[in-house]
Amino acid sequence: MTEPATYGLTTGAVARRLGVSPTTLRSWDRRYGMGPAAREGGRHRRWAPEDVAMLEAMCRLTASGAPPAEAARIARAARTGAEDPGAVLGAVPGTAPGTRARSTEPEPYPDRPAGPLRDRPEEPGPARQPGSGNGLPLGDVRRECRGLARAAVRLDGPALDALLRDAVADHGLVTAWEEVMAPTLHAVGRKWESSGDRYVEVEHLLSWHVSTALRQVSPAGHGSLAPVPPVLLACVPGEQHTLPLEALAAGLSERGLPTRMFGAAVPAEALDAAVRRMGPAAVVLWSQARSTANHALARHVAGSSFGVKGARTRPLMLLAGPGWAGRGPGPGMLRPGGLREALDALSHHAGTRVAAPPV
């Protein structure tokens, strides 16, 4: 009877599945004993399902900041049953059970509260080594971006969920979006554009999990919302990029402000009808490219009025996204420079409308 190992995956197939190079797998085998449990002399390695699960655990641990040697020890133990695979991410020394693995390096500034990632010195570790983004054009980014990129390339949905959840919890929504999520999404998009149809699945999976993480941001004050009209969020006609608007919606929810998300490519007629029916406090129009920026539509919406006779009002208009650049906003319009600026402008505008006396 043929040995079961014959039916395992080749090293190349496993490398493609995990989003790492075959050289990396061979290096892990030599350094940490991360090879297949069963081998046949004189033949190519074949990886059984439990071997692949061990490598996936290794990838998740290193993406979360665990030193490679310690990650390998835990992953090997999980394969043999000495460790619980379900708790493997909380098994790194220095972490409590059920929490994510972290680097064992001391905090550089223990007395200073954690701020934006760019204000903190980079931690040493394998995530900064060449190729740690698995071929994505990341450039000089933070550790969290590289871990997110590796998980996306190997199509590891559970790891993406954990890394995104940790980024929001550790650094806040705005920093997590601007310095972790957005740079990784841009890198995947650039790789997709330069590689034909390759990496489409990576971009789609990462976008889905980022969207899920944004929708899971908890509203402020036990879910209570301020007694103000909602903020209407929509992409201009022809615009498909919704994730920046979803990040804004999550930030407004976090601040207790109501929203209505209309998503991608909203027709002009539908947008006009929604504004007149809802009477929103503000309208945010997203344009990713100058080819989709519709200034005539923005002026029309900004000039819309609603309410009872003698007390009619107009919405605040925010032109969001790089598509609006190069031209100053018109009367009653703002063009925020980023997520935080948009959130502050909308929060301030909502604050002027809270507890307004009835007409």
Side-chain angles (χ1 to χ4, degrees):
M1 181 179 293
T2 305
E3 292 293 329
T6 302
Y7 296 99
L9 297 174
T10 64
T11 296
V14 173
R16 287 191 296 273
R17 174 170 173 174
L18 298 178
V20 302
S21 68
T23 302
T24 296
L25 295 182
R26 298 186 188 101
S27 175
W28 285 355
D29 189 6
R30 288 195 309 271
R31 295 184 182 182
Y32 312 119
M34 297 287 290
R39 300 174 185 259
E40 292 185 358
R43 298 200 178 181
H44 294 294
R45 305 174 193 185
R46 293 284 178 169
W47 302 80
E50 58 270 21
D51 302 324
V52 177
M54 172 191 67
L55 295 173
E56 289 175 339
M58 174 77 169
C59 289
R60 291 193 187 102
L61 284 161
T62 54
S64 298
E70 184 63 16
R73 184 193 66 79
I74 296 169
R76 290 197 312 270
R79 178 174 64 178
T80 61
E83 295 275 4
D84 178 9
V88 85
L89 289 179
V92 177
T95 62
T99 62
R100 73 184 180 104
R102 296 182 183 274
S103 172
T104 56
E105 294 291 328
E107 187 69 24
Y109 298 104
D111 297 328
R112 192 172 76 182
L117 299 179
R118 60 175 172 267
D119 296 335
R120 302 176 66 185
E122 179 65 3
E123 298 176 3
R128 298 292 288 180
Q129 300 302 315
S132 59
N134 293 112
L136 296 181
L138 287 168
D140 186 18
V141 295
R142 307 301 299 195
R143 175 188 294 272
E144 287 90 342
C145 291
R146 297 189 180 278
L148 200 62
R150 290 195 299 271
V153 170
R154 68 175 184 266
L155 305 180
D156 191 337
L160 287 174
D161 285 338
L163 292 168
L164 290 166
R165 184 171 57 248
D166 290 337
V168 174
D170 291 350
H171 306 294
L173 172 66
V174 174
T175 299
W177 168 255
E178 293 183 342
E179 301 189 25
V180 179
M181 300 179 191
T184 310
L185 286 164
H186 292 160
V188 173
R190 289 193 298 270
K191 189 69 173 181
W192 177 10
E193 291 173 357
S194 64
S195 305
D197 289 335
R198 294 184 60 204
Y199 290 91
V200 173
E201 74 284 1
V202 176
E203 193 273 342
H204 283 200
L205 185 71
L206 178 60
S207 296
W208 171 259
H209 284 274
V210 168
S211 177
T212 299
L214 292 172
R215 291 196 303 273
Q216 290 175 344
V217 173
S218 300
H222 305 288
S224 61
L225 296 176
V228 294
V231 176
L232 189 157
L233 306 166
C235 291
V236 295
E239 181 58 67
Q240 299 293 330
H241 294 79
T242 64
L243 284 177
L245 279 184
E246 293 180 47
L248 180 56
L252 291 171
S253 175
E254 198 174 48
R255 297 189 181 199
L257 297 178
T259 63
R260 297 293 185 273
M261 168 64 79
F262 286 81
V266 180
E269 297 81 4
L271 180 63
D272 180 63
V275 169
R276 297 184 182 279
R277 288 173 60 190
M278 288 174 47
V283 176
V284 181
L285 290 182
W286 179 268
S287 172
Q288 183 73 19
R290 291 190 182 186
S291 59
T292 63
N294 190 328
H295 292 271
L297 176 61
R299 289 193 299 271
H300 174 77
V301 175
S304 301
S305 61
F306 36 78
V308 298
K309 187 175 181 180
R312 297 180 71 79
T313 186
R314 293 176 177 174
L316 174 68
M317 170 63 69
L318 265 69
L319 306 180
W324 303 105
R327 202 166 154 183
M333 303 184 196
L334 297 176
R335 194 172 68 221
L339 177 57
R340 191 181 301 277
E341 187 176 332
L343 287 170
D344 289 343
L346 291 168
S347 298
H348 175 75
H349 182 67
T352 64
R353 304 187 60 160
V354 174
V359 177

